[in-house]
Amino acid sequence: MDVFTALAGSPVAVLCRAWGNPPPDAFVWQTRTGAAILSNTKFVAIDQNLTAFANKAGKSSREAFCKVNTTESSGEGEAKLVVHAANLPELAEMAAMTVRESEAVTFNCTAPGRAFPSPTFSWRDPSNLEIKTGIRRNITKGNGYSTLVLSPVSMSDRGRYTCTASNAMTGQSNSTSAQLTVTKFAKVIRSSPGRMSAD
């Protein structure tokens, strides 16, 4: 079975493929119950091509069966249309982080919902500049998550970091941010024998 995927409300072309000699004389599209699929507001059937107009979210799949007729024989094939709703990625709130200078810090950005398609992630620093993997900065991305690692951290890294998840098909996006606080190491100064002070 060939499986075709579409967004809710958008058309998708379903192709019935057939081989043989002699070539097919006709292609007939049917539902699972055997009813002929006629051209209407939901389907446009033209020979071996069936254009199905995906319905709204909540009805996630349709099945269409192709019957191939030739002068000497006939055969059947089937295709399944799966309909997804393109939605706004939902992001879990990122936790504020406090680390000491020269340590490492990791920000985790996750999209726990079942967004379609899987969102793409981007990061911005406290100056609102996009962050790329490079010196002291490493970004990893997976299915529904992204992490940002700063190592070693410097005082200049202080500020708010923002993660944005975007739906590439609709252009919709959602963002979450968290504050990074960086503290200095205490310097121990020996002032006199037997006495020490912290600066």
Side-chain angles (χ1 to χ4, degrees), residues 21-187:
N21 188 18
D25 295 320
F27 294 83
V28 180
W29 288 94
Q30 299 175 334
T31 64
R32 177 170 287 279
T33 61
I37 296 177
L38 303 177
S39 297
N40 53 35
T41 57
K42 296 181 180 179
F43 296 99
V44 178
I46 304 176
D47 293 332
Q48 70 184 100
N49 292 292
L50 173 70
T51 300
F53 290 86
N55 56 351
K56 63 182 179 180
K59 297 181 179 179
S60 61
S61 66
R62 290 178 176 171
E63 292 178 320
F65 296 84
C66 173
K67 186 173 182 179
V68 182
N69 296 320
T70 69
T71 55
E72 297 181 1
S73 62
S74 65
E76 293 184 359
E78 58 185 86
K80 184 175 183 179
L81 172 62
V82 180
V83 181
H84 293 275
N87 49 17
L88 181 66
E90 296 180 3
L91 290 179
E93 185 177 353
M94 289 197 302
M97 306 296 290
T98 299
V99 296
R100 290 187 295 183
E101 193 175 16
S102 299
E103 292 183 339
V105 64
T106 300
F107 287 102
N108 295 299
C109 184
T110 59
R114 295 184 178 180
F116 181 85
S118 182
T120 57
F121 292 89
S122 60
W123 291 87
R124 290 192 174 273
D125 66 14
S127 298
N128 201 33
L129 298 176
E130 185 174 3
I131 301 173
K132 301 289 187 180
T133 293
I135 299 174
R136 299 193 307 109
R137 296 178 173 187
N138 184 60
I139 296 174
T140 59
K141 299 177 182 180
N143 186 17
Y145 74 91
S146 180
T147 61
L148 169 65
V149 178
L150 306 178
S151 179
V153 171
S154 68
M155 296 301 293
S156 62
D157 293 323
R158 292 175 297 179
R160 184 166 291 274
Y161 288 80
T162 301
C163 171
T164 299
S166 303
N167 185 314
M169 287 190 174
T170 65
Q172 294 177 306
S173 64
N174 204 357
S175 298
T176 182
S177 61
Q179 183 73 24
L180 172 62
T181 301
V182 182
T183 61
K184 283 183 172 293
F185 276 107
K187 295 180 180 179

